[in-house]
Amino acid sequence: MTTLFSLVYLPQERFLIAFRIIGVLVLLFFAILFLQSAIDKIKDRKGNLDWLTGHFANSIFNGQIQALLSILTIMELGSGLAALFCAIAVVFLPFSEFAIPFFVVSMCAVTLLALFMGQRIAKDYAGAAGIVPYFVVALMGMGYFAVFI
């Protein structure tokens, strides 16, 4: 007889597999997000620099765009690589403590906050609002991994 409880109940092995899959998907989401953005900033640095110079012309960041672009590129590259390597580790390494993915997703959240702050300072409120869903995913990912630490 099939009951609602039997449909929801997951044996321990299935639960661990589901946990790993969900965790890997969250980490891959941030790996794709930040690696694509960092690679774009590296490949088209001049185009990004020109756009950002105009974007922040009337802000406190005026005159510091080149240094800030370098810092942001490093933050995105670090977050993306950490998320990618962590996703691979979650798939292949048999460890039960997931503190590392929690801190990796936290690092991604800090990178998103840097982007959000820049958009708010530039008074690009629509651009800042576009970052909010990514930040929500980061918070949910942090909460997800925090439960299992």
Side-chain angles (χ1 to χ4, degrees):
M1 180 164 100
T2 303
T3 65
L4 180 60
F5 180 76
S6 66
L7 293 175
V8 175
Y9 173 74
L10 287 175
Q12 185 67 21
E13 298 81 25
R14 284 189 188 169
F15 177 76
L16 291 176
I17 291 169
F19 171 75
R20 285 181 184 255
I21 290 171
I22 293 168
V24 167
L25 291 175
V26 169
L27 291 164
L28 287 176
F29 175 83
F30 287 114
I32 292 166
L33 173 71
F34 289 121
L35 288 175
Q36 182 279 326
S37 185
I39 290 168
D40 177 63
K41 285 177 177 60
I42 292 167
K43 289 179 97 175
D44 187 22
R45 182 168 176 86
K46 185 180 179 336
N48 279 285
L49 195 56
D50 291 344
W51 185 84
L52 289 169
T53 300
H55 193 64
F56 289 104
N58 298 323
S59 74
I60 60 171
F61 293 146
N62 190 17
Q64 303 170 337
I65 304 302
Q66 193 163 359
L68 292 173
L69 178 60
S70 296
I71 291 168
L72 186 59
T73 303
I74 291 167
M75 288 176 73
E76 288 182 342
L77 191 59
S79 295
L81 288 173
L84 179 64
F85 292 134
C86 195
I88 293 168
V90 169
V91 169
F92 292 108
L93 297 178
F95 59 88
S96 60
E97 183 175 321
F98 284 88
I100 294 171
F102 174 82
F103 289 113
V104 168
V105 175
S106 298
M107 183 168 73
C108 293
V110 169
T111 302
L112 289 166
L113 283 176
L115 291 164
F116 182 78
M117 182 183 72
Q119 295 293 60
R120 295 290 300 184
I121 288 174
K123 297 183 180 178
D124 180 2
Y125 301 117
I131 295 169
V132 172
Y134 296 107
F135 190 69
V136 171
V137 172
L139 292 177
M140 291 172 60
M142 290 169 61
Y144 183 77
F145 286 117
V147 168
F148 294 98
I149 292 179

